[in-house]
Amino acid sequence: GENVEQHPSTLSVQEGDSAVIKCTYSDSASNYFPWYKQELGKGPQLIIDIRSNVGEKKDQRIAVTLNKTAKHFSLHITETQPEDSAVYFCAASWEGNTGFQKLVFGTGTRLLVSP
Amino acid sequence: DAGITQSPRYKITETGRQVTLMCHQTWSHSYMFWYRQDLGHGLRLIYYSAAADITDKGEVPDGYVVSRSKTENFPLTLESATRSQTSVYFCASSESASGGGTQFFGPGTRLTVL
């Protein structure tokens, strides 16, 4: 099945710096890659996603890049702010042999932005 | 706009007891999902449902039972709870699963099995 690896597991940055989180996936048929932010005590919330026909997508301070050949995708946060502190999860869609696309999640990155 | 809610938010139970976690969504989404979240494992899919009365296993279904008699509700039952089922459980819903439809998550239920 699909396997998603995520690095680093923890990331500490100073306010204003950039943060990059990287994920790799194993199934070349995966075609949808969302990123979720999870704040303490809350459920994951979608912050940005990208489909396999696009190489890059931006939304204000957040961007995601996808390299289909290398099977990896990354989340970039610029001008980090303390409220960006959270756990971030990447995911990849996987159909397998059921015809139903499920999401397979990475293990998460705890981002800490220090003032 | 209530969105997706879960109850209870916290639950402590004992080994061998049956416990049911509730999930309710107000969007009339066709797809609903149950995940468990454990340190070092991220989110793992337990069961999912494509519509009322249609359910299927995910990655870690053993020890769990689901039902979906109504589109808006998707309860998860642990028939005989074990300590290894101590976890945070998240319910999610999606309008579409085609191409990996956006999933919206509930606030979670923290379950402790003693």
Side-chain angles (χ1 to χ4, degrees):
Chain A
E2 175 66 280
N3 182 50
V4 177
E5 294 189 358
Q6 182 172 348
H7 300 281
S9 57
T10 59
L11 179 60
S12 294
V13 300
Q14 291 292 121
E15 183 177 0
D17 288 349
S18 294
V20 180
I21 303 170
K22 298 181 179 181
C23 289
T24 60
Y25 61 99
S26 59
D27 189 349
S28 57
S30 292
N31 60 8
Y32 174 66
F33 307 92
W35 285 89
Y36 284 83
K37 175 183 180 182
Q38 185 178 24
E39 297 177 337
L40 195 62
K42 296 183 179 180
Q45 182 176 18
L46 180 74
I47 54 172
I48 195 167
D49 56 14
I50 192 168
R51 298 190 184 273
S52 59
N53 59 346
V54 176
E56 183 177 0
K57 184 177 179 180
K58 288 183 179 181
D59 183 4
Q60 299 183 351
R61 297 186 296 110
I62 295 173
V64 58
T65 58
L66 171 65
N67 183 326
K68 288 174 56 181
T69 302
K71 289 188 284 187
H72 67 70
F73 56 113
S74 301
L75 177 71
H76 305 253
I77 305 174
T78 58
E79 301 174 19
T80 54
Q81 300 168 4
E83 51 265 39
D84 293 329
S85 296
V87 179
Y88 291 82
F89 290 95
C90 64
S93 66
W94 181 64
E95 187 169 316
N97 59 2
T98 65
F100 176 81
Q101 292 202 341
K102 298 181 283 289
L103 290 181
V104 179
F105 285 83
T107 52
T109 296
R110 184 173 299 278
L111 174 64
L112 177 61
V113 180
S114 302
Chain B
D1 185 2
I4 184 165
T5 57
Q6 293 182 237
S7 62
R9 293 295 313 279
Y10 303 90
K11 177 73 176 179
I12 298 174
T13 191
E14 294 178 338
T15 300
R17 288 189 180 268
Q18 182 181 83
V19 60
T20 296
L21 310 184
M22 304 301 293
C23 178
H24 176 78
Q25 53 107 352
T26 60
W27 294 308
S28 298
H29 285 170
S30 295
Y31 295 88
M32 296 188 74
F33 311 84
W34 274 107
Y35 293 89
R36 60 177 291 172
Q37 185 175 41
D38 305 289
L39 196 62
H41 290 281
L43 291 150
R44 292 182 292 176
L45 183 65
I46 304 171
Y47 268 95
Y48 65 94
S49 170
D53 297 323
I54 300 176
T55 62
D56 204 353
K57 297 178 180 179
E59 181 184 355
V60 289
D62 293 344
Y64 303 95
V65 175
V66 294
S67 62
R68 192 152 177 224
S69 57
K70 293 184 177 181
T71 301
E72 60 268 30
N73 297 323
F74 191 37
L76 175 74
T77 297
L78 288 68
E79 293 190 303
S80 179
T82 65
R83 289 180 181 170
S84 64
Q85 292 178 309
T86 292
S87 186
V88 181
Y89 291 85
F90 288 99
C91 178
S93 71
S94 174
E95 186 174 29
S96 170
S98 175
T102 300
Q103 293 186 21
F104 298 89
F105 284 81
T109 294
R110 183 175 293 275
L111 176 67
T112 301
V113 183
L114 301 176

